[in-house]
Amino acid sequence: MAGPSPLSSSRTPVLGAPLSWLGACHSRGVHLRLSQHKPHATITVAGWNAQWLVDTDTDAGYHKRREIDSLLIKGHIVCLQETHWRHHDFCTWQFGLAIRNGSHSPALEGLAEEGGGGRKGGVAIFLPSGWKFTSEKVIIPGHALFCTARSDQGECLKILNVYLRPEAPADTWNLIKQSDDCPALDDPE
């Protein structure tokens, strides 16, 4: 099903279409795949390539945290890519949010032969009030996180949040499709 890409910018979070839209969405190396069991769900997703969320005490960190809070309070699911988080960074950020309902796959330490050191990737999913994770599975460490969730009203959804590495997006996608822990997926458009 064709539709506009809800991930048109990496500078700010972008709200996607309701989960009844079952298209593949990608932009700037980010791929977000959504599906659901009930077609009448109206929840929306904000996908954001946050480009480094480690520091909480900077102006940029403060504004990014407030933006994530605002989206969660409004009832949106928030999918983040390129967090560059280690596990303790995720805990610090989650503790600072108004709604502390998240899952993540930490960033990977960069190798010198791959273009330098530093952390690369990192993905996270935050659910708004009224939703709980029923399963969480890292498909590719630092790059792909698959979760299922259930609302207090019994609605179910599946979320695959992926950071497609700019140097090898097809490799990342193929690894996801080969995983036994992820549902069958179509190729991104």
Side-chain angles (χ1 to χ4, degrees):
M1 175 180 276
S5 172
L7 300 174
S8 60
S9 170
S10 63
R11 298 276 180 226
T12 59
V14 178
L15 291 177
L19 287 177
S20 58
W21 184 63
L22 297 174
C25 316
H26 59 94
S27 175
R28 295 190 188 204
V30 178
H31 181 81
L32 177 66
R33 169 71 182 202
L34 306 169
S35 66
Q36 66 180 37
H37 296 288
K38 296 184 178 181
H40 64 276
T42 58
I43 193 164
T44 55
V45 175
W48 191 6
N49 182 327
Q51 301 176 341
W52 190 269
L53 282 177
V54 177
D55 300 320
T56 59
D57 58 352
T58 63
D59 283 344
Y62 171 82
H63 292 294
K64 288 178 180 182
R65 187 173 58 248
R66 297 287 59 94
E67 187 66 39
I68 295 167
D69 268 340
S70 174
L71 292 165
L72 289 169
I73 290 168
K74 291 175 184 174
H76 305 294
I77 293 171
V78 178
C79 293
L80 302 173
Q81 301 84 28
E82 277 201 285
T83 62
H84 295 264
W85 285 340
R86 293 183 176 117
H87 182 69
H88 71 272
D89 298 318
F90 167 76
C91 293
T92 299
W93 272 82
Q94 182 166 246
F95 181 76
L97 294 173
I99 299 171
R100 300 176 185 135
N101 189 8
S103 180
H104 84 116
S105 177
L108 303 175
E109 294 297 327
L111 302 174
E113 59 270 15
E114 293 178 356
R119 288 173 265 166
K120 298 176 189 256
V123 293
I125 299 170
F126 288 97
L127 300 176
S129 292
W131 286 88
K132 297 205 179 342
F133 289 103
T134 54
S135 70
E136 304 166 48
K137 181 66 179 169
V138 174
I139 305 299
I140 302 173
H143 291 88
L145 177 63
F146 175 69
C147 296
T148 58
R150 181 175 298 276
S151 75
D152 292 344
Q153 290 76 37
E155 293 177 295
C156 298
L157 61 93
K158 300 174 185 177
I159 308 164
L160 175 60
N161 186 15
V162 179
Y163 170 62
L164 288 178
R165 300 172 300 156
E167 69 277 5
D171 292 346
T172 304
W173 189 246
N174 287 332
L175 286 172
I176 292 167
K177 289 189 338 183
Q178 294 169 12
S179 171
D180 293 333
D181 297 311
C182 202
L185 299 173
D186 298 328
D187 285 319
E189 296 171 353

